[in-house]
């Protein structure tokens, strides 16, 4: 009958915050190992700029530039690059997902939901898109939608601890667990 924040220290010997931090680190590490989201790298953007003339119009190249800018906290650069991708490929799930993540970070929940939904509908396979879509849906009291987003994240990566935790929280809050 305890909530997760109260039960976790007793069961796992760590706080909810520490558990969440470790869970996200595990998700990032797995995504990096699958080459879904490469590890943040301060020098990557400089290396990408060096080959821009050769590869500058390739969608995969632009996706990596946008992701690198996102990881560096460059919302304006990410937006510019993602919009360039969308000019060439209007349903590109990576570009839509990154724009949705920026909208969420900048506290524009409706815009975030629309873009994350579009990324998911376009066949996006980025676990962070589904984790964030679950968060946005949960905040909008769409429990079923949030559970579906977390389930999709788990289909893509069954070890997504954060998705398991968020599902458990939603089931607990709704009285289903």
């Amino acid at each position: 009958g305890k909530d997760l924040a109260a039960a976790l220290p007793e069961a796992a010997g760590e706080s909810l915050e520490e558990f969440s931090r470790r869970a996200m680190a595990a998700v990032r590490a797995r995504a990096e190992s699958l080459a879904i989201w490469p590890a943040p790298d301060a020098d990557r953007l400089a290396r990408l700029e060096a080959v821009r003339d050769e590869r500058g119009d390739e969608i995969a190249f632009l996706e990596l530039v946008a992701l690198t800018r996102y990881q560096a906290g460059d919302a304006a650069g990410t937006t510019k690059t993602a919009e360039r991708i969308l000019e060439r490929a209007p349903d590109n799930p990576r570009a839509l997902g990154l724009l949705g993540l920026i909208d969420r970070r900048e506290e524009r929940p409706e815009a975030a939901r629309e873009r994350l939904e579009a990324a998911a509908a376009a066949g996006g396979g980025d676990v962070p898109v589904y984790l964030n879509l679950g968060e946005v849906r949960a905040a909008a009291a769409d429990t079923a939608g949030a559970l579906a987003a977390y389930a999709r994240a788990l289909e893509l990566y069954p070890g997504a601890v954060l998705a398991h935790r968020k599902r458990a929280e939603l089931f607990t809050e709704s009285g289903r667990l």
Side-chain angles (χ1 to χ4, degrees), residues 141-155:
D142 178 4
T143 302
L147 288 170
Y150 295 135
R152 179 65 180 133
L154 290 167
E155 287 174 16

Side-chain angles (χ1 to χ4, degrees), residues 100-149:
L101 295 177
I102 290 170
D103 287 331
R104 181 158 185 257
R105 184 191 301 164
E106 295 182 356
E107 298 182 14
R108 295 186 300 258
E110 283 306 311
R113 184 176 179 144
E114 287 175 20
R115 286 190 167 142
L116 293 169
E117 296 276 3
D126 288 340
V127 172
V129 166
Y130 291 97
L131 293 173
N132 281 275
L133 181 56
E135 293 280 330
V136 170
R137 287 175 173 172
D142 178 4
T143 302
L147 288 170

Side-chain angles (χ1 to χ4, degrees), residues 4-5 8-9 11-27 159-166 168-169:
L4 188 60
L8 198 56
E14 62 187 353
S15 70
L16 181 59
E17 292 77 23
E18 177 63 17
F19 180 82
S20 295
R21 187 193 62 71
R22 288 185 338 95
M24 277 311 296
V27 168
V161 176
L162 186 60
H164 286 292
R165 193 194 83 190
K166 292 295 186 177
E169 288 174 356

Side-chain angles (χ1 to χ4, degrees), residues 9 31 59 96 100 133 135 167:
I59 297 293
L96 291 166
L133 181 56
E135 293 280 330
R167 284 175 52 89

Side-chain angles (χ1 to χ4, degrees), residues 74-109:
D74 179 5
T78 304
T79 299
K80 181 179 176 183
T81 306
E83 288 173 350
R84 186 171 168 201
I85 293 167
L86 293 173
E87 288 172 3
R88 292 171 174 78
D91 293 327
N92 182 280
R94 171 72 46 93
L96 291 166
L98 286 169
L99 290 172
L101 295 177
I102 290 170
D103 287 331
R104 181 158 185 257
R105 184 191 301 164
E106 295 182 356
E107 298 182 14
R108 295 186 300 258

